C-alpha cells in the first residue's frame, strides 16, 4: 500500500479526520539516517504527524516545522512538511537507544524524555505562526494532542504508530488525527471517546486495514464523508546549488578555514546526502561575495 492521507469530514462538518499510512516514508527515513529501532519509531511518529499537519495547511507554499527537544538520549527531533504531502526530518542522535518498556514496546518516551514541542507555520504572512507546549510523555501522539489543545485550542484525538521489524525495516506505520471544530457538542465528544479504546494503530494496519477502514472504525458512528486523499512521501529538496548559496553567505574567515584539504563535504541534515566542494569552488565563493 503506497503512503497516503485520507481526509474526511464527520458529524456535518463539526469533526474533521485525517487517516494516514506512512510505511514507505518512515522506512526511507530509517534507511537514510540509519536509526536505531526506537529512534525509527520516534522519528516515524513525528514524520507521520508532520505529513498530516502539512495537509491541514491551505496554501501551496505553506511550510510547517515541528521541533521536539527533550532531555532523553535522542536529544531532539525535527520534521518539516509542506501542504503537498512532502515531509523530511531527522533525529539529533539517530543512534540513541533506551531499554524496551515493561510491555515489550519500543520506549519512545524514554528516548525523548522531558522537554517541549514547538510548531512553526510559515503561511506566507509577515510573521510565521509559532506555538509551543510542554511534552506530556514524549510518546509523540499525546504530545501533539496536548499541543493542539493548549496552543491552538483544537480538541484532538491523535494516534501515531510505527512497527519496526526484526531486520530494522519498517513493517507498518501510520496515524490519525480526529479534531473537533468549534460548535461540536458533548454528544460528539461522547461518541469520540469510544475511539480512545481503539487498539494500537499499527496492529490494525498490520491486520490489513486501510486509512478508509480506520475512518469507518473511528468515525462510522458520526457519519463521515471522504473529502480527498493525498499521497505523501519522504522527500528532501536539497541540492549542491542550494548548499553553495548558503556557503557563499559565510564570512571570508570561515571560508578560508575550509580550504586546505582539497575537498570539503557538507552533509544535508535532512537526508544525509554528502555535497562535495573543491578548494577551488570554496575559493570562488570567497571571491564572489567579499
Ligand atoms: Zn537533503
Amino acid at each position: 500500500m503506497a503512503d497516503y492521507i485520507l481526509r474526511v469530514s464527520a458529524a456535518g462538518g463539526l469533526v474533521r479526520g485525517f487517516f494516514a499510512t506512512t510505511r514507505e516514508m518512515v522506512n526511507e527515513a530509517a534507511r537514510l539516517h540509519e536509526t536505531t529501532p526506537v529512534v525509527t519509531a520516534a522519528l516515524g511518529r513525528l514524520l507521520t504527524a508532520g505529513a498530516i499537519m502539512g495537509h491541514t495547511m491551505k496554501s501551496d507554499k505553506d511550510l510547517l516545522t515541528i521541533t521536539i527537544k527533550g532531555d532523553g538520549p535522542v536529544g531532539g527531533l525535527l520534521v518539516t512538511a509542506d501542504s503537498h504531502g512532502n515531509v523530511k526530518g531527522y533525529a539529533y542522535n539517530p543512534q540513541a537507544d533506551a531499554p524496551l518498556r515493561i510491555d515489550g514496546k519500543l520506549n519512545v518516551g524514554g528516548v525523548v524524555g522531558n522537554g517541549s514541542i514547538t510548531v512553526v507555520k510559515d503561511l506566507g504572512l509577515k510573521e510565521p505562526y509559532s506555538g509551543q507546549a510542554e511534552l506530556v510523555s514524549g510518546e509523540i501522539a499525546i504530545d501533539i494532542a496536548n499541543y493542539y489543545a493548549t496552543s491552538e485550542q483544537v480538541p484532538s484525538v491523535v494516534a501515531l504508530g510505527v512497527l519496526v521489524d526484526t531486520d530494522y525495516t519498517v513493517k507498518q506505520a501510520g496515524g490519525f488525527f480526529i479534531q473537533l471544530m468549534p460548535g461540536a457538542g458533548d454528544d460528539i465528544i461522547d461518541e469520540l471517546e469510544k475511539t480512545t479504546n481503539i487498539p494500537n494503530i499499527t496492529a490494525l494496519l498490520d491486520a490489513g486495514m486501510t486509512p478508509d477502514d480506520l475512518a469507518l472504525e473511528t468515525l462510522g458512528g458520526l457519519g463521515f464523508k471522504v473529502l480527498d486523499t493525498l499521497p505523501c512521501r519522504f522527500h528532501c529538496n536539497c541540492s549542491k546549488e542550494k548548499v553553495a548559496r548558503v556557503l557563499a553567505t559565510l564570512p571570508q574567515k570561515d571560508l578560508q578555514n575550509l580550504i586546505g584539504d582539497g575537498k570539503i563535504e557538507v552533509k544535508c541534515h535532512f537526508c544525509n546526502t554528502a555535497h562535495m566542494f573543491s578548494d577551488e569552488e570554496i575559493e570562488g565563493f570567497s571571491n564572489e561575495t567579499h
Side-chain angles (χ1 to χ4, degrees), residues 236 238 268 270-271:
C236 187
C238 71
C268 172
F270 288 102
C271 68

Side-chain angles (χ1 to χ4, degrees), residues 68 112 117 133-148:
I68 284 184
V112 172
I117 177 169
E134 294 297 301
L135 294 178
V136 178
S137 71
E139 292 281 333
I140 317 281
I142 191 166
D143 302 308
I144 301 263
N146 179 58
Y147 160 79
Y148 268 109

Side-chain angles (χ1 to χ4, degrees), residues 25-94:
M25 172 199 294
V26 178
N27 206 33
E28 179 68 354
R31 188 184 70 79
L32 290 170
H33 293 295
E34 299 176 11
T35 43
T36 57
V38 67
V39 175
T40 301
L43 182 59
R45 289 181 194 178
L46 196 62
L47 285 165
T48 302
I52 291 174
M53 290 167 75
H55 195 21
T56 68
M57 300 188 297
K58 296 192 172 62
S59 299
D60 258 9
K61 290 185 175 164
D62 290 352
L63 287 173
L64 171 94
T65 302
I66 315 170
T67 309
I68 284 184
K69 284 189 179 155
D71 62 6
V74 78
L77 303 160
L78 189 145
V79 162
T80 82
D82 66 15
S83 59
H84 303 281
N86 297 307
V87 58
K88 59 184 178 180
Y90 60 89
Y92 294 7
N93 177 10

Side-chain angles (χ1 to χ4, degrees), residues 243-280:
V243 177
R245 284 203 291 273
V246 174
L247 286 175
T249 66
L250 291 179
Q252 176 94 354
K253 177 167 62 71
D254 295 352
L255 285 170
Q256 289 300 327
N257 283 340
L258 292 174
I259 297 171
D261 295 339
K263 62 177 195 287
I264 69 149
E265 175 188 293
V266 181
K267 268 197 172 174
C268 172
H269 278 307
F270 288 102
C271 68
N272 243 352
T273 300
H275 300 285
M276 308 298 295
F277 294 88
S278 66
D279 278 355
E280 290 72 30

